[in-house]
């Protein structure tokens, strides 16, 4: 259970946003075939450890959180899970909040097991799927984790389910947004942000205003920046109206456009990753100032 | 990629249903605190390995599939993933089809990584979440896995999202059922069953007829038998109209009521598990004969 003395996830994230200067998160989606040659090691697992640790070191001054994609580690079995644990440990050593991108969703008792697994890894928050209902989100909150609930995802065919119109007016994703706001209402920190956030893809920013209206206190974890085609202009509808909220209530993530900035730069690949993270931080910072 | 020579998941499952005599699946949800004393080992991981292997041996004559709950293994980190791999390997040694109960759901490239992870473990099928749309299901099928898509789950507050009424008539879960049938239409085996099945909780059998109408060729993976309160009578609305379909198109699962049948039986705990599996097989067999 979450102890009274531990800092809330949302407040911890708010501190990190202030330190980094903009609400940007770097996604760690390591794929063996795409690693720069400079990420060396005796085994595939060692190469990924080297890569993830170096990326974290390079982006730490500019990013306010790290988001490892669980699938990229799980595909390598028990060895991959060891690499994931090492990666999260290293982020903790640098005091970087960790969003475990695992998109879990299961009935209560299984949700408790997933939550225990995430806590054991050292993660501070996790992405979750709402299809099974609120009781499948709560065990993660009870374990002291922050949550980012999938509301409106960036993939093109997300509309198939998320944009369906309900008979009483809103869409499915708007109704999920209401569920997220209800779950988060009792979990708001000193920063004014809730421990229960939402995933809202940048490519779906046309829906942003209706979602923000329903989720004024939520941090929106916003994928789709860079490689997936969204840009700074799409960010405005997702921001909180209240300009005093840290990061205007968003946490913009980029993965491939930052972590694979290095190929062709030889042994200096990690410098290129750091420079890409700095540009990303500056871009998002400007967009938020102007938003 | 799935090779032409490999048997389809649905046909493999159909063969296994014929061999076992009824469409029953045993869920493996090992929780350290609940293991019978007779499941011994030097480390917690060794005790779980001993337990899972013994349960599989005990239920193999009566069950047509094994469904490990990924959360129960993931909570023990890399060591737990090793136990999961061992468990699935042992089911393969006894030629028992494996449903990996992982409830994954992520965008295409991450879905491909999850699929690669499941194939590496030796699973034959996996439970999946539909919230992100059809493109997040397809990578698992392309990897040669069967899929059971969450349509109508057994937990009480599943209604929050799944029972919402759409403006053009059906509920959200009925619309998901249509998506599942579309995905499965091109993947029907010699048995008449599709590789794309659905999770439909026994406690929600009131919705069964409307879901079966939309998914005539799907195998319904049906949790909620025993510990969760559903019984054989609830099964009738979920069965296919076509009595020639293997198992009448259902795969009924029980976990705790079978795998924890052993406590108090000392060193003979695994015999009690086998007897519980045999009763479960006989109960479901009778219900299907009468359905």
């Amino acid at each position: 259970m979450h102890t009274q003395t531990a800092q809330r996830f949302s407040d911890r994230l708010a501190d990190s946003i202030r330190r980094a200067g903009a609400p940007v998160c770097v996604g760690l989606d390591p794929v063996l075939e795409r690693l720069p040659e400079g990420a060396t090691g005796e085994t595939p697992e060692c190469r990924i450890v080297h890569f993830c640790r170096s990326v974290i070191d390079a982006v730490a001054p500019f990013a306010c959180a790290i988001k490892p994609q669980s699938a990229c580690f799980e595909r390598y079995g028990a060895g991959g899970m060891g690499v994931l644990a090492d990666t999260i440990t290293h982020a903790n050593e640098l005091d970087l909040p960790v969003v475990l991108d695992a998109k879990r969703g299961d009935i209560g008792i299984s949700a408790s097991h997933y939550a225990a697994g995430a806590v054991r890894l050292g993660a501070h928050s996790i992405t979750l799927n709402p299809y099974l209902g609120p009781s499948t989100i709560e065990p993660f909150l009870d374990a002291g984790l922050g949550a980012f609930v999938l509301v409106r995802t960036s993939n093109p065919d997300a509309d198939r389910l998320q944009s369906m119109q309900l008979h009483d007016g809103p869409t499915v994703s708007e109704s999920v947004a209401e569920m997220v706001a209800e779950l988060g209402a009792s979990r708001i920190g000193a920063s004014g942000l809730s421990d229960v956030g939402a995933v809202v893809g940048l490519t779906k920013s046309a829906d942003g205003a209706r979602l923000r209206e329903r989720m004024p206190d939520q941090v929106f974890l916003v994928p789709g920046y860079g490689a997936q085609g969204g840009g700074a202009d799409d960010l405005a509808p997702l921001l909180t109206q209240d300009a005093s909220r840290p990061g205007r209530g968003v946490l913009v993530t980029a993965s491939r456009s930052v972590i694979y900035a290095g190929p062709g730069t030889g042994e200096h690949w990690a410098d290129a990753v750091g420079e890409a993270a700095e540009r990303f931080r500056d871009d998002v910072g400007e967009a938020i100032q102007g938003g």
Side-chain angles (χ1 to χ4, degrees), chain A:
Chain A
M1 301 295 284
H2 199 189
T3 60
Q4 290 298 318
T5 50
Q7 191 183 24
R8 255 182 201 291
F9 171 70
S10 54
D11 286 338
R12 178 172 190 166
L13 181 65
D15 286 350
S16 197
I17 291 171
R18 289 185 200 103
R19 179 194 52 73
V24 296
C25 172
V26 173
L28 275 170
D29 302 24
V31 175
L32 205 50
E33 296 71 28
R34 294 198 63 176
L35 300 192
E37 282 179 22
T40 54
E42 298 218 343
T43 65
E45 286 81 2
C46 290
R47 288 194 66 201
I48 301 176
V49 164
H50 180 179
F51 176 73
C52 290
R53 286 188 160 246
S54 301
V55 168
I56 290 171
D57 289 338
V59 306
F62 314 111
C64 59
I66 294 292
K67 180 175 74 65
Q69 165 56 258
S70 194
C72 291
F73 299 88
E74 288 179 45
R75 79 169 289 168
Y76 299 111
M81 290 301 285
V83 176
L84 177 59
D86 179 87
T87 298
I88 294 177
T89 297
H90 192 55
N92 271 290
E93 286 162 357
L94 300 187
D95 206 24
L96 272 174
V98 173
V99 182
L100 180 62
D101 196 357
K103 298 187 176 70
R104 296 298 191 259
D106 210 316
I107 58 167
I109 190 159
S110 299
S112 296
H113 295 311
Y114 280 127
V119 167
R120 179 191 176 109
L121 281 167
H124 310 104
S125 63
I126 185 166
T127 56
L128 298 175
N129 189 304
Y131 189 71
L132 271 62
S135 71
T136 65
I137 308 292
E138 283 160 345
F140 294 91
L141 306 172
D142 292 343
L145 294 164
F148 292 98
V149 180
L150 298 168
V151 173
R152 191 75 180 99
T153 60
S154 55
N155 55 310
D157 71 329
D159 294 1
R160 173 65 179 79
L161 183 59
Q162 297 164 23
S163 294
M164 288 191 302
Q165 201 81 36
L166 297 172
H167 89 110
D168 56 354
T171 62
V172 166
S173 60
E174 287 161 13
S175 180
V176 171
E178 290 163 10
M179 178 179 116
V180 168
E182 284 161 30
L183 276 166
S186 61
R187 296 176 169 99
I188 295 176
S191 61
L193 297 172
S194 174
D195 284 351
V196 188
V199 176
V200 179
L202 196 59
T203 57
K204 301 298 162 76
S205 71
D207 296 349
R210 286 191 303 280
L211 295 173
R212 180 51 84 183
E213 188 186 336
R214 288 170 167 84
M215 298 187 287
D217 305 319
Q218 267 55 51
V219 180
F220 286 11
L221 180 69
V222 183
Y225 193 95
Q228 289 182 49
D233 294 344
D234 301 307
L235 205 52
L238 306 182
L239 304 176
T240 56
Q241 294 292 318
D242 178 353
S244 72
R245 297 285 170 89
R248 297 288 299 276
V250 297
L251 179 58
V252 184
T253 83
S255 301
R256 286 164 279 168
S257 59
V258 173
I259 70 174
Y260 297 130
T265 52
E267 67 189 59
H268 302 292
W269 67 273
D271 297 337
V273 171
E275 287 156 19
E278 185 172 15
R279 280 194 304 277
F280 173 41
R281 191 268 317 262
D282 293 345
D283 274 10
V284 170
E286 274 178 40
I288 284 179
Q289 292 287 326

